[in-house]
Amino acid sequence: MAGFWWPQVAFTQDKPASQRQEGAGLPSAEGMSRTTPWDTIQWVERRYKIEAVRFKARDETGIDWLGSDEVIIQTNDAKGSTVSNEIGDIDSGDTHSFDPAISCVVAVRPGVAVLGESSVCEEIGEPAPMFFRVEFWEKDFFLPAGFCIPTTPRPGEHGGPHCANDGTGDDFIGNARIDYSTQELEAALPNVGNDLIETVALDPCPGEICAGFPDYTFTWRITRLPDAQVNLGVLANEAMQRTGARSELEAIAAGLRALRAPNPKKIKPDTAR
């Protein structure tokens, strides 16, 4: 990487290689981190945000004439989750629209985020690659105590004030995971202000072949935001706080190892709107 500077290391030759202790004379990760000017390493990267637009119940849960669906939606991304409150009276063929300004899915402002009410995107956005997962539940029961309460979001992260599934007999409607590579977003959104609207059909029984289940779609919008200048020192420090790494170099190494993990199968967006 341009701008990297590494301290010179002197290796003694007073003993044969076979007699030297393994690792002797090599710098530690902590030592290299202390002597590396991380704040001088900067670059410009493209930024994006993703917002919920709408969902459609092409076929509600159960038998249509027995009642309507009461829907709860949860989204997850690399920095936390959002959750909606109950969206009731959803019948087959109904479409529910979100206000994108308060329905952020990726680049959510830290803190408590209620989808469709208080989930606001940060102006700086997030870099690619990025992903999000969306999950729909139908509320069959509602205990007097309300929804289950998740853990409080950690500093710099976001989370909903309750859970989508409180474990009291809710019906699973479906889910999907969407992944965007850097190359894909650069090709689809070449200019600041460009946006792309896509729709996916939720999978009602992940990993299985099934029929006769609810059929819902979820539509979102991804927008290209102004580019941001990134400081590696700040980025590495944030990674150290999130991962517990003991040095900037250790945090960077952990990120590189994560790249070797297998990528999930990308779900092809559904063209039916």
Side-chain angles (χ1 to χ4, degrees):
M1 182 182 296
F4 257 101
W5 171 86
W6 301 101
Q8 294 183 348
V9 180
F11 296 92
T12 58
Q13 299 295 329
D14 53 332
K15 293 182 180 181
S18 60
Q19 298 179 14
R20 289 201 301 271
Q21 183 178 359
E22 183 178 355
L26 295 177
S28 66
E30 291 83 355
M32 295 184 73
S33 286
R34 286 194 300 269
T35 57
T36 301
W38 302 105
D39 289 336
T40 65
I41 305 171
Q42 299 179 351
W43 66 95
V44 174
E45 64 184 9
R46 298 182 179 186
R47 294 297 183 98
Y48 309 88
K49 66 177 179 179
I50 298 177
E51 300 158 310
V53 174
R54 61 181 174 269
F55 71 81
K56 181 175 183 178
R58 299 194 290 201
D59 186 7
E60 65 182 284
T61 63
I63 302 173
D64 291 1
W65 57 266
L66 286 179
S68 303
D69 284 350
E70 283 69 48
V71 179
I72 295 287
I73 303 169
Q74 179 170 318
T75 72
N76 293 82
D77 69 314
K79 291 186 176 180
S81 64
T82 74
V83 68
S84 72
N85 282 321
E86 184 178 302
I87 304 170
D89 298 323
I90 301 297
D91 296 312
S92 295
D94 286 351
T95 296
H96 176 84
S97 296
F98 294 98
D99 179 351
I102 50 176
S103 304
C104 192
V105 174
V106 177
V108 181
R109 184 173 59 191
V112 176
V114 180
L115 190 70
E117 297 182 22
S118 62
S119 185
V120 179
C121 286
E122 290 195 285
E123 294 182 359
I124 194 171
E126 290 288 339
M130 58 174 54
F131 79 93
F132 73 89
R133 176 185 171 91
V134 61
E135 188 170 283
F136 280 51
W137 289 83
E138 201 272 326
K139 304 299 293 184
D140 270 347
F141 300 96
F142 187 78
L143 296 181
F147 300 104
C148 62
I149 306 299
T151 58
T152 302
R154 295 184 296 182
E157 297 188 358
H158 52 273
H162 54 75
C163 298
N165 173 29
D166 60 17
T168 61
D170 301 328
D171 291 330
F172 177 70
I173 293 176
N175 66 13
R177 171 167 168 148
I178 306 299
D179 290 85
Y180 286 107
S181 68
T182 301
Q183 296 79 6
E184 184 177 6
L185 289 180
E186 288 180 350
L189 306 172
N191 302 310
V192 173
N194 289 161
D195 62 22
L196 176 66
I197 295 179
E198 294 194 291
T199 298
V200 68
L202 302 183
D203 185 354
C205 46
E208 300 179 9
I209 299 176
C210 56
F213 285 83
D215 182 4
Y216 274 66
T217 64
F218 179 72
T219 300
W220 66 95
R221 179 177 69 200
I222 182 166
T223 305
R224 168 86 183 273
L225 300 177
D227 297 346
Q229 184 169 338
V230 181
N231 182 304
L232 184 57
V234 173
L235 195 63
N237 186 62
E238 292 176 353
M240 289 171 61
Q241 294 178 2
R242 288 168 57 87
T243 65
R246 294 166 295 180
S247 67
E248 292 88 343
L249 192 59
E250 188 174 304
I252 293 171
L256 293 174
R257 291 191 189 98
L259 295 177
R260 298 186 299 192
N263 292 323
K265 181 179 179 181
K266 179 178 173 61
I267 297 178
K268 184 178 180 180
D270 187 83
T271 56
R273 300 295 174 85

